[in-house]
Amino acid sequence: MIKINKYELYEHSVQDPDVEARFIRSLYKRTFGKPPLYLREDFCGTFKLCCEWVKMGKDNKAVGVDLDREPISYGKKNHLERLPPQQQSRIKIIRGNVLHTHRPIVDVVGAFNFSYYIFKTRADLVAYFKSAYKSIGKKGMIVVDAFGGTDAMDANVEKRVVKGKGYKFTYIWEQKNYNVIRNEAEFNMHFKMSNGRVMRNAFQYDWRMWTLPEIREAMREAGFKKTSVYWEGVDKHGRGNGHFRALEYDDACEVWIAYIVGIK
Ligand SMILES: C[S@@+](CC[C@H](N)C(=O)[O-])C[C@H]1O[C@@H](n2cnc3c(N)ncnc32)[C@H](O)[C@@H]1O
């Protein structure tokens, strides 16, 4: 029987690194009038974004930072080693804490899939953004994602069939609880295979549900001069259409994902 790896299932379910890489490049170009070359992927896990980044341009370089040896090893075996040597040589992985890693100096720091929600206090969030600020050059930016909505304020379960070439399974995102007093929530990610087997609690998260103004204020406090929220447009059925633009006003909705950008 083929052993299914939880990182592979995770990547198929919640990652879109090529879309994210292009989004970052276009944001930076619009802001600074030139393409960014050096990306740091914080909380990089299996560092797929780093790999997409170096594929996108022959001068692109990427550094990934993560505390955990396990996803890094998976990424080395399954992504890095499959790249041509010329691309491999432009990726560096640091096993370390994003709060204490400030070198090399890069053009963009990116943190995705809400990883910085592990910081539960404003002091820790500001410390993280300060660390990112120290790690970028004069023409530098940070890009993070955020999610929320009325659905994120209650226990609930979302199921989605994920299929592609050679795989089909159900992704199950369980919100275990929501603590209104602390604005925190716990989540579990499970996977159900087509043979009925369930991989329970493949990933578990305990997060502060940061609001958009809190994130922007923390970025400003860390030194970023300007912040913007990129909000997703909707299709004719009212579902997210994958197009994000900078907005200062929109109505609330049940579930939303947005990007917050801080400019140095
Ligand atoms: C949800 S995964 C994110 C994976 C990937 N960034 C993505 O977009 O899907 C969170 C990762 O953050 C790492 N992590 C948690 N705290 C960290 C810290 N202080 N410094 C570096 N990595 C950290 C964990 O080891 C884990 O691999």
Side-chain angles (χ1 to χ4, degrees), residues 10 15 41-45 65-68 71 96-98 112-113 115 118-119 205:
Y10 174 91
Q15 288 194 331
E41 182 186 4
D42 276 350
F43 312 96
C44 67
V65 184
D66 200 289
L67 281 174
D68 191 351
N97 193 325
V98 295
F112 298 107
N113 272 315
S115 306
I118 52 149
F119 298 127
Y205 306 102

Side-chain angles (χ1 to χ4, degrees), residues 59-77:
D59 295 321
N60 282 9
K61 292 199 284 183
V63 55
V65 184
D66 200 289
L67 281 174
D68 191 351
R69 206 185 289 276
E70 191 181 272
I72 292 177
S73 302
Y74 178 88
K76 285 188 174 160
K77 207 176 280 165

Side-chain angles (χ1 to χ4, degrees), residues 14 36 77 95 97 235 240:
V14 299
K77 207 176 280 165
R95 195 167 76 80
N97 193 325
D235 63 18

